Amino acid sequence: MKTAPSFMDRKDLLALAVLAAILLIAFPVLLDGFRLNLVGKYLTYAFVAVGLVLCWGYGGILSLGQGVFFALGGYGMAMYLKLEASSVENTKIQSTPGIPDFMDWNQLTELPWFWQPFHSLPLTILLILLVPAFFAFVIGSAMFKRRVSGVYFAIITQAIAAIATILIIGQQGYTGGVNGITDLRTLHGWDIRTDSAKFILYFVNVALLLAVVCFAMFVRDSKLGRILVAMREKEDRVRFSGYSVANFQIFVFCLAGVFSAIGGAMFTLQVGFMSPSLVGIVPSIEMVIFTAVGGRLSIFGAIYGALAVNFAKTSLSESFPELWLLGLGGLFIAVVLVFPNGLAGIWRDYVQPSIDRAFKLRSKDPADPGHDVAKQASTLPAE
Amino acid sequence: MTTIGTPAKDYLLAVEALTVSFDGFKAVNDLSFYVDENEIRVIIGPNGAGKTTVLDLICGKTKATNGSIRFRGAELTKMSESQIVLSGVGRKFQTPSIYDDLTIFENLEISYPKGRSVWGALTFKRDQAVKDRVEEVAEIIFLKDKLHERAAFLSHGQKQWLEIGMLLIQDPELLMLDEPVAGMSVSERVKTAELLNTIIKNRSVLVIEHDMKFVEDIAHKVTVLHQGKILSEGSMQKVKTDPKVVEVYLGH
């Protein structure tokens, strides 16, 4: 196979191994518990970024509302944890014991119906995956079947993010309002606040991320991945080649939504709360910036992008809190103007060639350059 | 053969009383024509005559205001674009419509008639049959030695050929071509005529073209459109001598 971007070829395996080594060995060895937990938090955004690579980078569908799906996953997990933390013994001082504290403060006397399924962990996990998929399906069907795309789609998703935030804040009794859902303690009886739990959750998070990466690579290297690129370029040609373009757009949008939701659920577990400030317009746009900085056509780039921007955010806002947003804006402009393919583009254009050259000089191995060119052209098309 | 009246069942394509109006402007006005099996029909006419609109209507890109389009007895005006393609109608656009970021191989592979659903595309296997077919078509469209290059690097003429190849691999019963030789060099034109003569076997073709030499070479029958209506129809010889056609083309 000298042509196809075949699934899991040598280059992909190498990239996957390097990523796994960094996340599973280097970070746990080098970082203390606090910093490792921070990295875990950053990596929950990498789920969103990987979804955006497929949806935006490959499919050309820019969603400025991925925070909504992050929220659906995050709140789903938070609702389960909150119910477990709100046992009758824990809440006996409330006027209605056994319901979450914020409901009691808001004069609710009964658990709302949509909270009921979150008593069960298996149901919660199922809903964390299904609810975002369903929402993405509804939004996607409503828009893609009507041929809404490009900027209009981006604006509408942004509006949905705004609506979601307003809804969460407004319905305080059901959602915890602006404070979000806090004071989460145990997962199925296992205390998630301890250092050892956080350590274990970090590894669960990384394992899930690697699984998502593998699945994303599978999609990218299937014919569906090539149809996504084709749709981005000439939507009508794909349509008049016998494909229902809307169905493919809905699929990739749902997939990105589910990835985001997994990230959101892992965020709640590792950080210990979920609030509307994490899901609105600004966080949704930040997620797009992580992807752009990493390289919107590179699954691995998006992960490094999420890590790098968040590292910068933490260290910059520790020392110059007021400068961070300016820095982020400047970064985005720089990405758009100077390096449109992000970190992955820089790697491919500058770092990789010199590594290849050094490697070739040493081993005198006449590697097949045609293969690399073909592979790069099809997996990392220059825009 | 009459052009008006009840169509016999054996017409491949029957367009009847087709009308489309854009904000009151009738781009196609009460148009009727019939295409036989294995017929090569060329539509000519001055700019704005509604030629491209007719193709848009047949392939479902534009929805008709009135009238019917039947293909093998099935009503196309009620189908979605992809259903129309699946029923056997292929369309080439005026400007080359190909995927720049994919290789020639991948461009052709996408038009291979298999794995067109989401699930089908995810599980699609590039087996030997696909590879053989893609190579076979690439040979016909003169691009065999460029299979693994990105389509962006092709010349204008080669891009036109690639899109024709994409239709060829799709294997439609009715092939619609919108100005296939526009913008081509003389030598490319000759090669394209040769290419079209290979691919029109065993199918009907509907072509829009301005190049009269080219039209004479390939047309079985010519339909002249003017202001959304048929001005004249018949053999090239008949149409050329029709005073109405002469007037429209040569002006006052």
Side-chain angles (χ1 to χ4, degrees), chain B residues 53 97 106 155 233 252:
Chain B
T53 310
S97 209
E106 289 164 340
S155 72
E233 191 170 76
H252 313 284

Side-chain angles (χ1 to χ4, degrees), chain B residues 4-252:
Chain B
I4 310 291
T6 36
K9 254 231 167 321
D10 50 7
Y11 285 121
L12 183 75
L13 180 77
V15 175
E16 284 178 334
L18 190 64
T19 302
V20 67
S21 106
F22 302 121
D23 296 325
F25 167 71
K26 287 186 171 164
V28 171
N29 193 355
D30 198 22
L31 185 74
S32 299
F33 68 92
Y34 305 90
V35 178
D36 273 324
E37 303 253 0
N38 297 333
E39 177 185 337
I40 298 174
R41 171 73 60 95
V42 180
I43 301 178
I44 60 171
N47 286 332
K51 305 182 296 287
T52 299
T53 310
V54 170
L55 296 200
D56 285 348
L57 285 162
I58 296 172
C59 74
K61 193 166 186 237
T62 304
K63 291 283 166 220
T65 315
N66 258 314
S68 95
I69 304 167
R70 265 171 305 152
F71 178 74
R72 287 210 180 288
E75 183 62 48
L76 296 188
T77 49
K78 297 198 170 46
M79 292 188 193
S80 73
E81 296 96 330
S82 52
Q83 284 172 322
I84 293 174
V85 173
L86 298 187
S87 72
V89 178
R91 158 87 188 266
K92 192 204 156 301
F93 292 95
Q94 194 165 351
T95 49
S97 209
I98 53 151
Y99 318 122
D100 277 345
D101 279 345
L102 298 178
T103 64
I104 314 297
F105 189 102
E106 289 164 340
N107 266 275
L108 291 170
E109 184 188 53
I110 285 184
S111 289
Y112 188 80
K114 224 180 100 190
R116 275 164 167 162
S117 65
V118 169
W119 180 249
L122 263 181
T123 54
F124 179 85
K125 287 266 179 301
R126 186 177 287 177
D127 54 21
Q128 201 56 44
V130 178
K131 285 189 219 167
D132 289 349
R133 182 73 183 132
V134 166
E135 278 174 23
E136 190 187 328
V137 169
E139 175 114 54
I140 299 175
I141 59 170
F142 324 110
L143 294 174
K144 195 171 183 196
D145 52 339
K146 294 191 188 313
L147 263 182
H148 304 303
E149 280 178 31
R150 272 181 57 199
F153 301 136
L154 296 179
S155 72
H156 174 80
Q158 288 172 325
K159 285 182 181 175
Q160 296 279 40
W161 292 338
L162 176 57
E163 199 184 352
I164 293 173
M166 287 159 74
L167 283 162
L168 193 53
I169 212 163
Q170 190 178 309
D171 198 21
E173 284 174 87
L174 174 67
L175 179 59
M176 303 196 289
L177 304 167
D178 199 345
E179 301 198 20
V181 297
M184 283 191 174
S185 67
V186 177
S187 66
E188 280 174 337
R189 261 167 212 242
V190 175
K191 271 178 124 174
T192 307
E194 179 194 317
L195 172 61
L196 289 182
N197 277 318
T198 344
I199 66 172
I200 55 186
K201 285 185 193 109
N202 306 318
R203 70 185 96 231
S204 303
V205 187
L206 199 56
V207 192
I208 292 178
E209 193 43 74
H210 282 298
D211 186 325
M212 287 307 150
K213 168 85 178 52
F214 188 77
V215 173
E216 273 194 273
D217 280 353
I218 63 165
H220 294 162
K221 210 167 157 192
V222 177
T223 298
V224 187
L225 279 191
H226 182 51
Q227 293 175 348
K229 290 184 165 181
I230 291 184
L231 193 68
S232 178
E233 191 170 76
S235 69
M236 186 66 186
Q237 212 48 47
K238 178 189 157 204
V239 162
K240 246 171 44 182
T241 50
D242 188 325
K244 283 185 293 183
V245 177
V246 173
E247 189 190 321
V248 163
Y249 265 93
L250 299 179
H252 313 284

Side-chain angles (χ1 to χ4, degrees), chain A residues 164-180:
Chain A
T165 321
I166 293 164
L167 204 64
I168 292 172
I169 294 175
Q171 298 299 314
Q172 193 165 250
Y174 299 113
T175 62
V178 75
N179 300 316

